[in-house]
Amino acid sequence: YAANAMLATRISFMNELANLAEKLGADIELVRKGIGSDPRIGFHFLYPGCGYGGSCFPKDVQALIRTAQEAGQGLKVLQAVEDANETQKSVLTGKIVGRLGEDLSGMCFALWGLAFKPNTDDMREAPSRVLIADLLARGARIRAYDPVASHEARRVFAGESRIEFVAQPMQALEGADALAIVTEWKEFRAPDFPAIKSMLKSPVIFDGRNLYDPAVPRKAGLEYFAIGRQ
């Protein structure tokens, strides 16, 4: 529990620094490289994004908090880690609403990534679930792609007619107003940005995993919103 709680703490810490970097006009990638170069810290689990999920980190952080409460001791730092992570899962929603407005009725969003992390079909506590719920609540439709988690997503969102699952990432862009990236699958790392621009109704990418140097999609004529990057 303590090991996973420590790793979750690093993630939430970086997420909060990334949010601060946006406010201050700083670049969280430079901060990450700076503090990661300190051998006492290292680079592992220093990547900001739209929150952690899965079967281990959320459960183990909550279990350790509960164990401490039962022993009559609060764990203020870990409670803050949990709270920060829940808030971070809505960070992409905030960026989308800030750019396109609160009412997303009639809009369609391409979604790349459903699993909580690459190389799994696990959607437990996945940030994609929060984003999808937020978009649907605002009247949007979704065209989603994930290399392996689509079958699990069909189960999770069974009966939801406003979500379409496609077999290829570029298929998700057909008829979409904007693209949101939620899972850092390797196949998303070098896309055809001019093709993305030509397919989207609004040439906007909301990147919850900081996959790209912001200058690259912008050079192709895309608006690019990442986590803690200018």
Side-chain angles (χ1 to χ4, degrees):
Y1 285 169
N4 279 342
M6 171 59 77
L7 298 177
T9 299
R10 287 169 68 99
I11 294 170
S12 281
F13 175 75
M14 286 303 293
N15 285 338
E16 295 231 294
L17 279 190
N19 296 338
L20 177 61
E22 287 189 19
K23 298 287 188 182
L24 300 178
D27 186 341
I28 193 60
E29 178 64 8
L30 298 179
V31 177
R32 184 188 70 82
K33 289 179 178 178
I35 64 175
S37 65
D38 186 327
R40 298 171 300 174
I41 298 172
F43 290 102
H44 294 298
F45 292 88
L46 282 189
Y47 294 90
C50 52
Y52 61 77
S55 61
C56 295
F57 286 6
K59 173 180 63 66
D60 290 356
V61 169
Q62 293 161 13
L64 198 52
I65 291 171
R66 186 166 57 251
T67 297
Q69 289 172 339
E70 291 170 355
Q73 177 180 334
L75 293 180
K76 295 180 181 179
V77 171
L78 275 196
Q79 187 60 61
V81 168
E82 169 80 358
D83 294 344
N85 189 59
E86 287 308 301
T87 299
Q88 197 69 12
K89 288 181 180 181
S90 294
V91 70
L92 279 186
T93 302
K95 293 177 182 296
I96 290 169
V97 166
R99 172 62 179 80
L100 300 173
E102 286 281 355
D103 185 1
L104 304 175
S105 299
M107 292 187 181
C108 177
F109 288 86
L111 192 68
W112 282 2
L114 294 163
F116 85 93
K117 68 175 184 178
N119 306 315
T120 182
D121 64 355
D122 194 342
M123 287 186 63
R124 284 174 286 185
E125 304 285 343
S128 65
R129 298 176 67 153
V130 174
L131 178 61
I132 289 171
D134 288 346
L135 294 177
L136 294 178
R138 288 169 169 79
R141 293 179 297 110
I142 293 164
R143 303 193 82 211
Y145 168 77
D146 188 284
V148 300
S150 290
H151 70 284
E152 175 64 9
R154 286 186 175 93
R155 184 192 67 80
V156 170
F157 295 104
E160 179 50 75
S161 61
R162 293 174 293 170
I163 306 176
E164 178 185 357
F165 301 99
V166 299
Q168 297 294 331
M170 296 304 283
Q171 275 184 274
L173 305 180
E174 296 172 4
D177 290 273
L179 167 64
I181 302 172
V182 192
T183 312
E184 61 274 34
W185 286 97
K186 186 177 180 180
E187 66 182 280
F188 300 156
R189 293 188 177 274
D192 185 337
F193 289 115
I196 291 174
K197 181 179 185 295
S198 69
M199 294 180 72
L200 291 174
K201 293 179 182 178
S202 302
V204 187
I205 297 177
F206 300 95
D207 183 359
R209 297 301 176 187
N210 288 2
L211 293 186
Y212 315 121
D213 179 339
V216 178
R218 289 171 184 162
K219 185 177 180 180
L222 288 149
E223 288 185 68
Y224 180 67
F225 297 88
I227 311 295
R229 306 207 67 184
Q230 303 304 313

